[in-house]
Amino acid sequence: LGQMDLPVTFGDRTNFRSEVLTFEVVDFPGSYHAILGRPCYTKFISIPNYTYLKLKMLGPHGIITMGSTFSHAYTCDREHY
């Protein structure tokens, strides 16, 4: 349907990174609100670990680690389908 530029921030008040990312707007049902891929990883210079559902990147005051759990991902999938 188009593209959208949105500011994305990872971290907390003491250690965070913000960048503007371009998202593709599509018309299909899915359990995810946004999918972050290689352009996001490149812009944030981050490292995804799919085994542990973690995303690590360098912040101004150390490493920022974002994560989730398998049970949360499973619940999101089950609620949508």
Side-chain angles (χ1 to χ4, degrees), residues 3-48:
Q3 294 182 334
M4 213 178 198
D5 292 332
L6 295 172
V8 177
T9 302
F10 290 105
D12 57 22
R13 291 178 184 218
T14 60
N15 190 24
F16 66 91
R17 287 269 314 269
S18 293
E19 299 285 346
V20 175
L21 296 179
T22 302
F23 291 90
E24 298 284 335
V25 180
V26 296
D27 185 22
F28 71 87
S31 58
Y32 299 100
H33 297 292
I35 299 174
L36 303 176
R38 288 186 209 145
C40 169
Y41 304 149
T42 301
K43 199 150 201 178
F44 279 97
I45 311 171
S46 61
I47 301 170

